[in-house]
């Protein structure tokens, strides 16, 4: 069964009857290794082919589907068709030419990539895969077409081998015959079977919106198309294409494109791409909605990272990103509501003040076209109930992403309430992501071995069950655990490591030093300053709000402030420290799990205290 992206159920509302029938045939009559995309824009001109079909051995195919009837075709030329419609005679593009133009626009882009070129032989430098284009006439059978257009004209204007007709896509169609029709649209067959990296490169070129690295993403090219201005040589174009591309995997892309309307929940393990999916969803909603889109999280540093993510993608004017308590403060200021008096901390009184003002009608509901909540496991029930009311009931678009294994704020992490009780109606619309793509297998295995026996801790609920991560990343070096005599000794050793890594070519911005709490941040910041290592110590709120992940500096963070972030190399300093006296070991372990899983490729853990968590770390070496 072929993979249709978005899912068929998601596509059905905007499909014509002919497109629905053809999509069902693709799903049923093609094998599992086919990828099929429906109605997704390509390139700077935002062309919308009806279907794109990709197969590792067959190649790339572009298809237009028309629900026309034979009696409505009045005149046909190479470029145009005069079509009788309920509102009169209309001139539209010849669908063959429409599909051809789309195909060749894509070929120009793919052909620049050296890794998608023939490496040797008579066709050296040419695209390494077959390609084709064609048209599906969902309501015209082959005989009707033959009778309507003389053969000498038909072969020039609507070549038979580039067409699939109504009687060739019936429910009882033979799979081999159907596939033969598709691949008859190719003028030639050549090349070896595409590798998985090559398939990812094709997707990287076709759909810039699913690229992972911000610096690689060209999401909104010029309206004139993909070609750069001027006479840039082909070599310059090729050099702009990275050797290694990072992109959503097919499961992530499928989910991102298939979320649909209404309330949705994504329960994903650490490193499964939740924030990436949130970013894609923002791109989609920014084009689809007129009202502003609200993105909320609990972590101040993550809010800063998300704002950078959104800004790079050119939609900062449409998407508002806030740390939850900052958003409450903005609501009070915008609607001139005073903070309630009391003994509780001001941030708690801000929340209750907003809740009361919404109940009184002083702060309006339905302000946003969509609401997206990242790291939702850190939200209290009354917070979720409040923000759910902020969604315009006409759009009713809400997305909650969470991983209960990362609930580290004890007072807020129980999540024993049902989502329905706080106004999130996502029953039957929850997706679980078990694959971890961020960490190497060695890092994930290390983190899970430490934490697996402490994940329960009474924090799961019927709506939010705990799930175990599965490794999908590459292999890398084993995490390093080192014990020292003192915190100063830890900091001195780590400083030497940083200097050595930098000499080997590692960028400062790829390194983060995390710590559970206490004085470790102050101590390591002093060591880095002494050795002129650029760094940002993100301990206070004002520094977290100004966090810029693109600056070339080492990030020093308390572990809770690292939630939602990731770095190539992570050092966990003073790992056996417990921020809360007499804290339950489970709380310390869950916090440590968050810190360990921030590392993509390299992980070092240092400690000096004789504590239960120190003993556990020693046992993992």
């Amino acid at each position: 069964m072929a993979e249709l992206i978005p899912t068929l159920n998601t596509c059905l509302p905007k499909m014509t009857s002919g497109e629905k029938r053809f999509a069902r045939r693709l799903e049923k009559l093609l094998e599992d290794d086919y990828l099929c995309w429906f109605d997704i824009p390509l390139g700077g001109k935002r062309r919308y082919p009806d279907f794109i079909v990709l197969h590792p051995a067959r190649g790339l195919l572009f298809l237009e589907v028309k629900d026309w009837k034979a009696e409505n075709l009045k005149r046909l030329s190479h470029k145009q068709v005069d079509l009788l419609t309920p509102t009169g005679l209309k001139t539209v593009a010849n669908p063959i030419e429409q599909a051809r133009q789309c195909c060749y626009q894509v070929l120009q882009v793919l052909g620049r990539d050296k890794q998608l070129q023939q490496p040797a032989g008579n066709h050296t430098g040419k695209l390494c895969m077959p390609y084709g284009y064609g048209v599906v006439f969902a309501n015209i059978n082959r005989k009707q077409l033959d009778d309507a257009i003389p053969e000498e004209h038909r072969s020039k204007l609507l070549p038979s081998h580039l067409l699939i007709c109504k009687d060739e896509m019936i429910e009882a169609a033979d799979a081999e015959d159907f596939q033969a029709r598709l691949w008859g649209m190719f003028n030639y067959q050549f090349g070896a079977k595409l590798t998985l990296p090559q398939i990812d490169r094709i997707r990287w070129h076709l759909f810039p919106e699913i690229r992972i690295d911000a610096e690689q993403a060209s999401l909104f090219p010029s309206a004139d198309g993909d070609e750069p201005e001027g006479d840039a040589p082909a070599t310059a174009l090729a050099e702009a294409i990275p050797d290694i591309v990072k992109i959503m995997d097919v499961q992530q892309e499928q989910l991102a494109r298939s979320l649909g309307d209404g309330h949705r929940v994504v329960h994903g393990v650490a490193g499964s791409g939740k924030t990436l999916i949130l970013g894609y969803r923002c791109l989609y909603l920014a084009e689809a909605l007129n009202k502003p889109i609200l993105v909320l999280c609990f972590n101040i540093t993550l809010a800063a990272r998300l704002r950078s993510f959104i800004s790079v993608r050119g939609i900062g004017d449409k998407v508002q990103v806030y740390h939850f308590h900052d958003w409450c403060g903005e609501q009070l200021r915008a609607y001139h509501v005073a903070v309630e008096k009391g003994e509780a901390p001001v941030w708690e009184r801000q929340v209750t003040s907003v809740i009361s003002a919404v109940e009184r009608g002083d702060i309006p509901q339905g302000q946003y076209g969509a609401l997206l909540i990242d790291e939702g496991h850190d939200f209290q029930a009354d917070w979720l109930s409040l923000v759910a009311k902020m969604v315009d009931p006409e759009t009713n678009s809400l997305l909650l992403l969470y991983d209960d294994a990362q609930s580290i704020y004890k007072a807020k992490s129980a999540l024993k309430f049902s989502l329905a009780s706080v106004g999130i109606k996502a029953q039957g619309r929850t997706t679980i992501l078990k694959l971890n793509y961020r960490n190497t297998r060695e890092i994930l295995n290390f983190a899970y071995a430490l934490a697996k026996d402490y994940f329960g801790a009474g924090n799961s609920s019927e709506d939010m069950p705990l799930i175990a991560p599965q490794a999908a990343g590459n292999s890398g070096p084993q995490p390093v655990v080192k014990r020292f005599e003192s915190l100063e000794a830890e900091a001195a050793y780590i400083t030497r490591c940083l200097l050595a890594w930098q000499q080997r070519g590692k960028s400062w911005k790829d390194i983060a030093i995390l710590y559970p709490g206490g004085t470790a941040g102050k101590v390591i910041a002093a060591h880095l300053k002494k050795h002129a290592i650029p760094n940002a110590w993100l301990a206070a709120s004002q520094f977290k709000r100004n966090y810029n992940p693109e600056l070339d500096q080492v990030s020093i963070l308390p572990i809770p402030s690292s939630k939602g972030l990731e770095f190539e190399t992570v050092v966990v300093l003073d790992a056996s420290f417990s921020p809360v006296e007499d804290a339950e070991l489970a709380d310390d372990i869950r916090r440590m799990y968050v810190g360990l899983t921030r590392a993509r490729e390299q992980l070092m853990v240092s400690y000096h205290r004789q504590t239960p968590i120190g003993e556990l770390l020693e046992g993992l070496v």
Side-chain angles (χ1 to χ4, degrees):
M1 184 174 178
E3 184 93 52
L4 184 64
I5 305 172
T7 59
L8 184 56
N9 286 340
T10 304
C11 297
L12 287 176
K14 63 178 183 178
M15 281 180 162
T16 67
S17 60
E19 288 168 345
K20 290 176 185 176
R21 278 186 282 128
F22 187 68
R24 291 189 174 105
R25 302 303 173 265
L26 290 175
E27 278 198 333
K28 177 183 176 182
L29 300 176
L30 302 184
E31 289 86 9
D32 294 348
D33 51 353
Y34 284 85
L35 292 175
C36 306
W37 290 270
F38 170 73
D39 195 39
I40 296 176
L42 295 173
K45 293 185 179 180
R46 311 301 279 172
R47 296 182 185 273
Y48 284 80
D50 290 326
F51 289 91
I52 304 171
V53 180
L54 175 63
H55 185 267
R58 299 287 192 176
L60 194 59
L61 183 63
F62 300 85
L63 296 167
E64 291 291 331
V65 178
K66 300 300 179 184
D67 281 32
W68 301 343
K69 294 182 179 179
E71 59 269 25
N72 293 339
L73 297 177
K74 298 303 178 183
R75 192 179 71 85
L76 183 68
S77 71
H78 281 290
K79 292 190 175 182
Q80 296 178 334
V81 175
D82 287 345
L83 188 68
L84 185 61
T85 71
T87 58
L89 195 66
K90 288 189 176 180
T91 300
V92 298
N94 182 323
I96 290 289
E97 179 64 14
Q98 192 178 352
R100 188 184 74 83
Q101 289 288 346
C102 185
C103 175
Y104 281 98
Q105 179 194 3
V106 171
L107 297 182
Q108 287 181 351
V109 176
L110 298 182
R112 301 172 191 152
D113 191 332
K114 290 184 178 180
Q115 295 189 37
L116 296 177
Q117 295 173 359
Q118 294 276 11
N122 295 333
H123 301 287
T124 301
K126 300 295 184 182
L127 199 61
C128 67
M129 63 179 175
Y131 49 85
Y133 56 88
V135 174
V136 178
F137 285 123
N139 293 319
I140 304 176
N141 61 41
R142 183 70 67 170
K143 185 176 186 307
Q144 286 176 317
L145 203 60
D146 291 347
D147 291 344
I149 306 172
E151 196 280 332
E152 64 271 19
H153 298 301
R154 192 171 64 250
S155 62
K156 296 178 182 178
L157 304 179
L158 289 175
S160 296
H161 71 285
L162 299 183
L163 305 178
I164 292 178
C165 295
K166 176 181 178 180
D167 50 327
E168 296 157 353
M169 52 172 281
I170 60 174
E171 189 171 359
D174 179 76
E176 289 189 12
D177 291 343
F178 181 79
Q179 291 187 36
R181 289 282 179 189
L182 288 178
W183 304 118
M185 295 176 178
F186 289 79
N187 291 326
Y188 47 82
Q189 299 288 333
F190 67 85
K193 189 174 182 179
L194 292 170
T195 65
L196 287 177
Q198 285 178 318
I199 291 173
D200 281 345
R201 295 187 79 82
I202 293 168
R203 294 171 55 237
W204 188 89
H205 287 292
L206 291 181
F207 312 121
E209 64 272 18
I210 63 173
R211 298 175 186 176
I212 290 177
D213 284 359
E215 62 268 25
Q216 296 176 358
S218 176
L219 296 172
F220 301 104
S222 68
D224 294 327
D226 290 318
E227 296 290 346
E229 296 181 3
D231 299 318
T235 53
L237 294 172
E239 289 171 0
I241 301 171
D243 292 333
I244 298 175
V245 299
K246 295 182 180 181
I247 192 169
M248 287 185 183
D249 78 344
V250 172
Q251 183 200 18
Q252 291 171 324
E253 182 190 358
Q254 174 71 281
L255 172 60
R257 296 194 190 277
S258 304
L259 282 171
D261 299 325
H263 292 195
R264 304 279 168 167
V265 172
V266 176
H267 182 183
V269 301
S272 59
K274 297 184 296 298
T275 302
L276 185 63
I277 290 167
L278 179 147
Y280 175 85
R281 186 66 173 166
C282 286
L283 283 170
Y284 170 79
L285 293 170
E287 289 191 357
L289 301 178
N290 294 320
K291 273 194 169 184
I293 298 155
L294 176 63
V295 177
L296 291 177
C297 60
F298 180 72
N299 186 337
I300 298 175
T301 318
L302 176 58
R305 175 69 183 93
L306 290 173
R307 274 193 291 274
S308 174
F309 186 94
I310 293 301
S311 176
V312 166
R313 282 151 178 78
I315 53 175
D317 59 331
K318 296 182 178 181
V319 181
Q320 300 175 13
V321 182
Y322 286 101
H323 160 242
F324 173 72
H325 291 95
D326 277 352
W327 175 80
C328 289
E330 286 295 322
Q331 289 291 304
L332 296 175
R333 283 186 286 273
Y335 294 99
H336 306 289
V337 176
V339 178
E340 297 173 350
K341 295 182 179 180
E343 298 298 322
V346 65
W347 56 268
E348 288 187 2
R349 288 185 281 120
Q350 283 183 324
V351 176
T352 56
S353 299
V354 173
I355 292 173
S356 298
V358 170
E359 291 174 350
R360 294 192 306 267
D362 294 340
I363 293 178
Q365 302 182 23
Q367 298 178 36
Y368 301 95
L371 169 65
L372 300 92
I373 303 169
D374 201 2
E375 307 290 347
H377 44 263
D378 290 329
F379 278 63
Q380 295 183 34
D382 55 349
W383 301 1
L384 290 173
S385 181
L386 166 64
V387 298
K389 296 172 183 174
M390 293 295 121
V391 182
D392 185 339
E394 289 192 8
T395 56
N396 197 33
S397 180
L398 184 152
L399 175 62
L400 173 72
L401 305 105
Y402 79 98
D403 173 16
D404 208 37
Q406 298 185 67
S407 297
I408 60 176
Y409 301 101
K410 186 173 181 181
K412 309 169 185 65
S413 66
L415 293 176
K416 294 179 180 178
F417 54 86
S418 71
L419 292 176
S421 71
V422 296
I424 298 177
K425 299 176 175 59
Q427 187 173 6
R429 294 194 295 272
T430 295
T431 302
I432 294 178
L433 300 177
K434 295 183 179 180
L435 292 179
N436 171 298
Y437 298 92
R438 175 193 299 144
N439 315 121
T440 63
R441 295 175 183 274
E442 290 77 8
I443 291 172
L444 182 62
N445 290 341
F446 177 85
Y448 190 63
L450 175 71
K452 63 181 178 180
D453 294 333
Y454 300 89
F455 274 157
N459 285 331
S460 62
S461 70
E462 183 178 346
D463 281 351
M464 298 183 173
L466 287 162
I467 54 175
Q470 298 175 10
N474 297 322
S475 289
Q478 288 289 345
V480 174
V481 179
K482 286 189 173 292
R483 181 182 173 184
F484 296 86
E485 293 302 316
S486 66
L487 179 57
E488 283 288 339
E490 289 185 52
Y493 178 79
I494 289 167
T495 302
R496 293 197 299 274
C497 288
L498 264 60
L499 292 169
W501 294 338
Q502 197 266 343
Q503 288 181 347
R504 296 173 194 165
K506 191 182 295 293
S507 298
W508 296 126
K509 68 179 181 179
D510 292 332
I511 304 170
I513 300 174
L514 311 181
Y515 59 96
T519 62
K522 181 178 181 179
V523 170
I524 191 65
H527 275 261
L528 268 54
K529 181 179 180 180
K530 180 180 178 181
H531 289 83
I533 297 175
N535 68 89
W537 180 24
L538 306 176
S541 296
Q542 64 266 32
F543 299 119
K544 296 176 186 177
R545 289 189 179 92
N546 295 325
Y547 171 62
N548 184 348
E550 299 307 315
L551 296 180
D552 195 25
Q553 56 189 4
V554 176
S555 297
I556 305 172
L557 293 149
I559 288 177
S561 296
S562 73
K563 286 165 62 65
L565 307 181
E566 61 180 60
F567 302 88
E568 178 189 289
T569 298
V570 166
V571 177
V572 181
L573 172 70
D574 199 10
S576 56
F577 175 78
S578 179
V580 180
E581 190 175 350
D582 298 325
E584 294 182 10
L585 180 58
D587 294 335
D588 291 337
I589 293 293
R590 291 161 73 89
R591 183 183 299 104
M592 185 57 54
Y593 177 77
V594 169
L596 300 177
T597 54
R598 300 310 96 195
R600 293 199 304 267
E601 298 179 16
Q602 186 175 355
L603 174 65
M604 177 185 291
V605 182
S606 69
Y607 71 102
H608 67 279
R609 305 171 194 270
Q610 280 294 100
T611 62
I613 193 170
E615 293 174 3
L616 286 172
L617 288 169
E618 192 167 332
L620 293 175
V621 179

